[in-house]
Amino acid sequence: VQLQASGGGSVQPGGSLRLSCAASGLTPNSYTLGWFRQAPGKERESISCISFSDDSTFTLYSVSDRFTISRDDGKNTVHLQMHRLKPEDTATYYCAADSPKWPRFGCRRGTETRWGQGTLVTVSS
């Protein structure tokens, strides 16, 4: 399993970024892709995920009015569109993959979770 993340960078407060994660090596339509983030000194938290098996999704409530997850089935890719970014959104964002029913469990990290490399998002004026 390979998860290739892209799209991080630096942005001013109020700005937008779109993260993308391309997956390979997964059984078609039998997985969920999602995003976690980890700020310095904090635990890694689940942000959002979307199943490629059905339409189920999960998004952390505190970002649900600003972050939107979507998928591109043909490219096995998931996108996280982030708007109105805040300094507290600064973190390393990680792409992850797990079972197709993962959204039902809030996409909590587990023993079967597969990780991509992180991409840094910095929100600062």
Side-chain angles (χ1 to χ4, degrees):
V1 175
Q2 288 191 328
L3 304 172
Q4 184 67 45
S6 61
S10 296
V11 64
Q12 293 186 340
S16 299
L17 282 174
R18 189 174 87 150
L19 305 182
S20 297
C21 176
S24 61
L26 294 169
T27 303
N29 303 322
S30 296
Y31 56 90
T32 294
L33 292 181
W35 292 94
F36 284 66
R37 69 184 180 187
Q38 187 167 19
K42 295 188 177 181
E43 293 189 355
R44 192 172 298 188
E45 64 176 348
S46 176
I47 298 299
S48 190
C49 63
I50 185 167
S51 175
F52 279 66
S53 175
D54 54 32
D55 292 331
S56 62
T57 63
F58 163 81
T59 300
L60 184 67
Y61 178 76
S62 61
V63 303
S64 60
D65 62 332
R66 301 185 293 118
F67 292 7
T68 302
I69 195 165
S70 61
R71 71 187 196 206
D72 184 334
D73 292 351
K75 297 182 180 180
N76 295 331
T77 298
V78 65
H79 306 288
L80 184 69
Q81 181 67 55
M82 304 184 293
H83 292 299
R84 303 195 304 280
L85 284 161
K86 304 176 181 180
E88 51 262 44
D89 295 318
T90 296
T92 299
Y93 285 69
Y94 294 91
C95 179
D98 208 299
S99 73
K101 297 182 179 180
W102 205 23
R104 304 182 190 184
F105 306 102
C107 295
R108 296 186 184 92
R109 61 189 300 181
T111 56
E112 300 298 319
T113 304
R114 300 291 181 260
W115 300 98
Q117 89 282 9
T119 186
L120 181 62
V121 172
T122 303
V123 185
S124 173
S125 56

